[in-house]
Amino acid sequence: MRYFPVIVVGGGLAGLRAALEVNMHNIPVCVLSRVHPVRSHSLAAQGGINGALGNHVRGSNDSVEKHAFDTVKGSDYLGDQDAIIRMCNDAPLRIYEMEHWGCPFSRTSEGKIAQRPFGGAGFPRTAYAEDKTGHVLLHTLYEQVVRFEHSSERADITVLDEMLVTSLAVDDGRCTGVIALNLKTGNFEAFQSDAVIFATGGSGRVYSNSTNALISTALGAYIPFKDGAPLKDMEFIQFHPTTLIGTNILMTEGCRGEGGFLVNNKGERFLANYEDSKKAMEVAPRDIVARNIQREIDAGRGFENSYVHLDIRHLGEKKINERLPGIRDLCIKFANIDPVTDPIPVQPGQHYTMGGIDTDINGASDIKGLFAAGECACVSVHGANRLGGNSLLETIVYGAIAGKSCAEYVSSLAQTKTGAEKVEAKLRDEERRAREIVAKDGDYLICDVRDELAQTMAQKVGLFRKEDQLRSALEDIERAKDKFKKVKFNAKSKSLSYNYEFINYLETEASICVSEVIVKGALERKESRGSHFRLDFPKRDDANFLKHTVARYSKEGITLSYKPVKIVKWEPKERKY
Ligand SMILES: Cc1cc2nc3c(=O)[nH]c(=O)nc-3n(C[C@H](O)[C@H](O)[C@H](O)COP(=O)(O)OP(=O)(O)OC[C@H]3O[C@@H](n4cnc5c(N)ncnc54)[C@H](O)[C@@H]3O)c2cc1C
């Protein structure tokens, strides 16, 4: 059994930033990641990262207060305002820190960090590097991690990739380590620690039509959930307005921020016909644009009943190559069209998990010694709807905050390196469970159970929701549970080394549970707020639902309770655009 004072699960932006912060406190830290850190989904982020830098004439009066207010309003007043103010306040600091670590942001003609308009602000607030912002941020952080891997300056950062964490070890309410499957060897390994930071990203792959990487599964939310950490606001799923038809690959909001149009089959910029998008048009908040695209398609004004056009041709080849080269490349490779000469066929798709592991403003969860940051966590800064560009920001701001509070927690412990027996026992549990899984010989294929459920989520728990559809989704989930009890382990090899059938089993189990949390939360929230739109309750209802949903796990089932939203500055108002 290996011991590290702090273990970070996840090597994306949130995980690496948290690990660096722990390292700045001179505490040894180990990052466990199922893929090499620079293959995390953060890498795929295209459009940019928000911060009130005010680097453009049109955005020169920007301020932390304006950024915070836009975020609160975008969240449909469900975001916790203290957490939002903290994030917006730290934004310039964290962005300049990335710049000083060598992050190659795109530049203005004066050499300042360039910013583009995204939803929410209406002027340039989103710093970017072409359309590869996540790529450059992640590589910059990874370079810093490598710098401290074996450094005489500070305690070591150890990175172990191809390590799939499958379970926590919790001893008397305190997290004392994790169990991971070493994907190379196929053996389970025990890691004892004084604290654990979860940074496992979003649960997007619960849906079949997601922009997320295949590794963005519900496993990261499920592992702490089943050990007692509540999940918050999981019914709020963001659907991005513009994903490429066929694959649902993201076409960044930057396409519209740079001046792209959304057009229906009549050649109209249809957003002008809707009250909530006629002013901001293509840069209105995501939930609004996504719903209005879907309304056009449903009204027969889309193409082939399934998409509209995102037209960037008028930007010209030079600007497209300069600002959106990745988009051009993706369109050519995955849709066989060139956006310089053709409109891009797009439809809304699952994009972001607003909810997650419930944490306080310092990243601490309900389990002592367990922290969370990034997309898997819910602080909550996005409330009912995330503004584009705020998620990359959350990863580095709250990654650093969780790292700091975790380091302080570890330094304050009277006794470290505790709970060894529990970790050993958990290791044996996991080995036993794995033997049972590979011996399963039932009637159903694991992949079928998972795919059917992902279809249910896309069709019945999507952009528009209704009681009968949500109830029908719950029935599908019950059916999935039954089938899951009767699956067969279909892979010939029972070795766990790179055994995708085994990983799929764990992910499907997580998917079933997290889907149930999403649907139950959506069913009980009898109002429309942000991304959660109920056709049978089309209005926001602050009197009854200005509150966070908190889901808890027990062997008997999932229970829901509520807790208040922190309103410290702006009283809820109707969203007007
Ligand atoms: C296509 C796309 C474009 C986006 N563009 C933008 C944008 O322009 N601006 C913006 O603000 N946001 C954007 N987002 C959102 C943003 O990129 C993500 O929310 C953010 O990067 C998530 O970072 P993270 O560190 O929380 O998780 P991730 O980057 O997803 O990293 C998760 C890590 O956890 C590890 N992991 C997961 N489960 C386990 C396990 N069980 N055991 C071990 N390791 C595990 C993985 O290996 C990975 O290293 C975009 C998202 C997508 C999908």
Side-chain angles (χ1 to χ4, degrees), residues 10-11 13-14 33-34 40-42 47-48 163 165 250 352 375 389 391-392:
L13 282 169
S33 179
R34 62 181 292 179
S40 304
H41 184 62
S42 290
M163 284 284 193
V165 170
L250 184 77
Y352 188 80
E375 195 172 334
S391 166
L392 289 181

Side-chain angles (χ1 to χ4, degrees), residues 179-403:
I179 309 302
L181 173 64
N182 182 328
L183 297 173
K184 285 176 233 168
T185 63
N187 295 324
F188 281 96
E189 294 181 18
F191 292 86
Q192 186 186 11
S193 70
D194 302 317
V196 172
I197 304 176
F198 254 59
T200 47
S203 302
R205 284 286 157 181
V206 161
Y207 282 78
S208 60
N209 58 341
S210 177
T211 63
N212 288 193
L214 293 171
I215 57 164
S216 298
T217 73
L219 198 53
Y222 174 67
I223 292 170
F225 184 53
K226 73 176 191 313
D227 269 317
L231 293 178
K232 186 162 76 194
D233 291 340
M234 288 300 284
E235 64 269 31
F236 294 102
I237 299 288
Q238 181 164 82
F239 297 86
H240 198 284
T242 56
T243 76
L244 195 60
I245 189 85
T247 51
N248 294 110
I249 292 174
L250 184 77
M251 296 288 108
T252 172
E253 190 164 324
C255 297
R256 286 170 284 134
E258 294 295 347
F261 297 149
L262 285 168
V263 180
N264 64 15
N265 67 11
K266 295 194 157 79
E268 293 168 344
R269 283 177 71 194
F270 55 87
L271 292 175
N273 303 334
Y274 294 91
E275 208 42 48
D276 51 2
S277 58
K278 68 178 189 205
K279 197 161 152 226
M281 293 295 286
E282 277 81 2
V283 291
R286 284 184 179 171
D287 55 331
I288 290 173
V289 179
R291 280 196 294 270
N292 291 346
I293 291 177
Q294 195 58 49
R295 287 185 177 115
E296 285 298 296
I297 295 170
D298 293 347
R301 292 189 291 272
F303 300 86
E304 297 175 37
N305 280 332
S306 59
Y307 60 90
V308 296
H309 278 158
L310 169 62
D311 198 345
I312 59 171
R313 290 176 293 182
H314 54 284
L315 303 183
E317 186 165 5
K318 184 166 174 284
K319 192 164 177 188
I320 292 174
N321 284 344
E322 196 181 292
R323 305 277 176 88
L324 303 163
I327 289 298
R328 186 176 186 191
D329 201 35
L330 287 168
C331 285
I332 292 171
K333 290 204 175 109
F334 288 92
N336 199 23
I337 54 144
D338 185 345
V340 170
T341 50
D342 310 297
I344 310 170
V346 293
Q347 60 178 190
Q350 191 286 341
H351 183 55
Y352 188 80
T353 317
M354 257 84 69
I357 303 162
D358 182 15
T359 72
D360 67 10
I361 195 171
N362 295 316
S365 79
D366 264 21
I367 300 177
K368 229 173 144 197
L370 179 71
F371 299 78
E375 195 172 334
C376 73
C378 182
V379 180
S380 97
V381 287
H382 309 302
N385 175 52
R386 166 177 82 89
L387 291 186
N390 266 355
S391 166
L392 289 181
L393 178 62
E394 182 196 10
T395 62
I396 55 173
V397 167
Y398 278 96
I401 289 171

Side-chain angles (χ1 to χ4, degrees), residues 139-150:
H139 278 265
T140 302
L141 280 188
Y142 186 61
E143 280 166 17
Q144 291 301 309
V145 167
V146 170
R147 174 176 164 204
F148 293 107
E149 252 182 326
H150 302 289

